[in-house]
Amino acid sequence: KISKMAAAPRVPETQDITRIERIGAHSHIRGLGLDDALEARMVSQGMVGQTNARRAAGVILQIIREGKIAGRALLIAGQPGTGKTAIAMGMAQSLGPDTPFTMISGSEIYSLEMSRTEALSQAFRRSIGVRIKEETEIIEGEVVEIQIDKPAAGSGEKRGKLTLKTTEMETIYDLGSKMIEGLQKERVQAGDVVTIDKASGKISKLGRSFTRARDYDAMGASTKFVQCPEGELQKRKEVVHTVSLHEMDVINSRAQGFLALFAGDTGEIKQEIREQIDQKVSEWREEGKAEIVPGVLFIDEVHMLDIECYSYLNRALESPMAPVLVFATNRGITRIRGTNYKGPHGMPIDLLDRLLIISTEPYSEKEISQILHIRCEEEDVEMSDDAQELLTKIAMETSLRYAIHMICTASLVCTKRKGTEVDMQDIKRVYSLFSDVKRSTQYMMEYQHEFMFSEISKPDGEVEVGDAMKTD
């Protein structure tokens, strides 16, 4: 329970989010590495090289941020290991969490228990956000004192008092058991600046007050300091919720409502439901309660789509509710899936004509060395200069991805011998343990007759079957 409420001015929305992150293939990417003039820096925000491709992606980024033009599509094409997915991840990081960014692979379309066009429709609507605005009342202030009265009998409902202050006033609030549990859960103590939602009772800790900056025993390395709030304790704030059109479709198409979002495969959604959602969103936009947030749909390995999917994309790009599409492929001129015809990147010409195409180029030796250095920092691996030079040479002769995989494994080998820095001995050891594609292929060519179902053409065109499969 909270008493002594009074109307007061608005404050900006605050969010309390806890993130748990793991090191991934592109976790070192922080953005596109562009300056204010959209010029690409050589090494910035985890991005290295590919200056022309990043500069072009920056232009597309401005189109997305303005959100005025729908149906724009981009194709990032290049050899394997030239940073196509990294550029897409850089775009996602630059857009921030408020802009929907959906990432799928072309092969995912076939593994869902629904039609391919329905799977694409859901991906499209995941990439369109609706920013809904509402006002709520909060109490915001610095904690002066927390008093919790334990029941005399040892059991029963807890009671207490919370003293909050701003730069202009100080007030004591009565606390019930629910509020006491919330304060204990958030580990709120004197000197913390908190907000309390009047409607839900949710407590959010904004940080420590600057007046407590000298209390070294009550802070850690990640302690955030904030100013003591000004004005009155009770304020009105504008809360903004961003949900995707697909989430609204699911909630309104299932009997369990919001819980359907956690049920996994949502199944096919009727077109009538989507039309009703679109109509309601249009009404909210006219009333000023909501606005559309066009996002990005990134389809990796787009050559895995078939002609039916390409036909759907041609039509969907003409919709005013279409997000910005970003495709990526490493294929050259190859067969279009679902037909007997070949096309550039395995895509039909009429769809390619709608795309802006960005080409990526192979990395230079210097750029590969910089990428490997960034990955060592990201994975917290100490590596000698000689070892990094050797790893760069291996990357030039094999592939960048293989060399990146060697960083972690070489670090484990170094730890096994109780070393503190990865050296050339560890790199050579890992190189001997794990084969790259070229060495594995060479091994298969030499010993293919000892494997099951191995076939290789003889010079005269006959097929030689491995001895393991020969029968009398």
Side-chain angles (χ1 to χ4, degrees), residues 453-465:
F453 302 108
S454 57
E455 296 182 358
I456 187 169
S457 299
K458 287 184 175 180
D460 57 2
E462 297 180 3
V463 175
E464 176 186 341
V465 182

Side-chain angles (χ1 to χ4, degrees), residues 188-254:
V188 175
Q189 56 186 331
D192 290 339
V193 178
V194 299
T195 63
I196 304 174
D197 190 309
K198 179 181 175 181
S200 64
K202 180 184 176 183
I203 300 170
S204 299
K205 187 161 64 172
L206 305 182
R208 296 282 293 173
S209 173
F210 276 112
T211 58
R212 301 297 184 107
R214 297 185 181 275
D215 296 350
Y216 297 107
D217 58 335
M219 56 179 280
S222 60
T223 302
K224 177 183 176 183
F225 289 99
V226 295
Q227 294 285 356
C228 180
E230 299 178 353
E232 298 185 8
L233 280 162
Q234 181 168 332
K235 305 176 177 71
R236 294 187 65 85
K237 74 170 182 177
E238 186 178 76
V239 180
V240 180
H241 306 283
T242 302
V243 296
S244 68
L245 287 176
H246 175 68
E247 290 170 341
M248 298 176 70
D249 294 341
V250 172
I251 292 171
N252 287 274
S253 65
R254 296 289 182 270

Side-chain angles (χ1 to χ4, degrees), residues 342-454:
K342 292 184 177 180
H345 313 297
M347 302 174 68
I349 297 295
D350 57 341
L351 180 59
L352 282 171
D353 192 42
R354 296 176 181 267
L355 309 180
L356 295 171
I357 301 176
I358 296 177
S359 298
T360 55
E361 301 173 352
Y363 290 108
S364 66
E365 184 174 353
K366 180 180 178 182
E367 290 170 347
I368 287 178
S369 178
Q370 291 170 330
I371 292 171
L372 293 175
H373 179 71
I374 291 172
R375 288 302 304 180
C376 285
E377 291 182 344
E378 180 71 13
E379 299 182 23
D380 197 20
V381 174
E382 294 289 337
M383 185 177 293
S384 66
D385 294 339
D386 292 339
Q388 187 170 329
E389 185 178 349
L390 175 60
L391 192 61
T392 303
K393 290 181 179 179
I394 291 174
M396 292 295 293
E397 294 175 1
T398 57
S399 71
L400 176 59
R401 288 171 178 164
Y402 175 71
I404 289 175
H405 288 318
M406 291 180 69
I407 294 174
C408 181
T409 49
S411 176
L412 294 175
V413 171
C414 175
T415 304
K416 188 70 175 177
R417 65 174 178 82
K418 298 182 179 179
T420 57
E421 185 181 61
V422 175
D423 57 18
M424 294 180 65
Q425 171 190 345
D426 302 317
I427 299 295
K428 290 177 180 178
R429 175 66 173 161
V430 171
Y431 186 78
S432 65
L433 289 174
F434 302 99
S435 297
D436 59 275
V437 174
K438 291 182 180 179
R439 283 185 293 159
S440 179
T441 303
Q442 183 63 33
Y443 178 83
M444 293 292 295
M445 294 292 290
E446 292 179 5
Y447 298 99
Q448 59 85 26
H449 59 281
E450 299 181 8
F451 287 83
M452 298 284 289
F453 302 108
S454 57

